[in-house]
Amino acid sequence: MPSPANEFANYCAELLAPLGPVRIKRMFGGHGLYVDELFIAILSSERLYLKTDPINRASFEAAGCEPFRYEARGKLNTIAYYSPPDEALESAALMQPWARLALEAALRARATPVLKKRAARPAAAKRSGGAKA
């Protein structure tokens, strides 16, 4: 028989499934949820948290959503994952706008390192070009 945590993880995967294939991975005493291999959600203490970034965070805050917090080394830490509104947990249709925001944040995060590398290349080329002269 699946544990309650696994049942909740499976339920959350069903809520996110309209976005694409969902993979559940155990991590840090909870679970991580991936859609199309993009990490978009954390499950901790029977609570779902969706990925946010500076572009979408205000939508979560305006809806009264709570950030994911954890304690480490006596310090309370907050990371860029927020709970969706409670009603979003009622159905996949109600979850979709929030899940889509998380997926978009994950896509932006994945694109960011590539942009940083591309931006760094011209500067590196200029430095090496200057050294030859």
Side-chain angles (χ1 to χ4, degrees), residues 60-83:
F60 285 85
E61 291 171 342
C65 303
E66 296 290 322
F68 178 70
R69 291 186 175 100
Y70 66 97
E71 188 173 332
R73 298 183 183 142
K75 181 181 174 189
L76 189 62
N77 298 288
T78 302
I79 61 172
Y81 286 78
Y82 276 67
S83 63

Side-chain angles (χ1 to χ4, degrees), residues 116-132:
K116 287 180 182 177
K117 286 180 185 176
R118 287 183 183 161
R121 283 186 192 146
K126 287 179 186 174
R127 283 192 298 269
S128 66
K132 291 181 182 178

Side-chain angles (χ1 to χ4, degrees), residues 2-106:
S3 72
N6 289 339
E7 287 179 19
F8 184 66
N10 289 332
Y11 178 71
C12 290
E14 289 175 22
L15 292 175
L16 300 175
L19 291 180
V22 178
R23 181 170 60 94
I24 302 168
K25 182 178 178 184
R26 288 201 47 78
M27 58 190 315
F28 309 115
H31 295 85
L33 292 171
Y34 295 76
V35 172
D36 284 332
E37 295 307 313
L38 291 166
F39 185 53
I40 71 160
I42 295 171
L43 300 177
S44 179
S45 302
E46 297 294 309
R47 192 131 191 230
L48 173 67
Y49 297 91
L50 298 171
K51 185 169 186 62
T52 68
D53 65 8
I55 294 171
N56 70 6
R57 192 165 300 126
S59 297
F60 285 85
E61 291 171 342
C65 303
E66 296 290 322
F68 178 70
R69 291 186 175 100
Y70 66 97
E71 188 173 332
R73 298 183 183 142
K75 181 181 174 189
L76 189 62
N77 298 288
T78 302
I79 61 172
Y81 286 78
Y82 276 67
S83 63
D86 290 339
E87 62 271 9
L89 292 169
E90 294 175 13
S91 73
L94 293 172
M95 180 60 72
Q96 288 318 290
W98 302 99
R100 194 163 307 286
L101 288 172
L103 183 61
E104 290 167 357

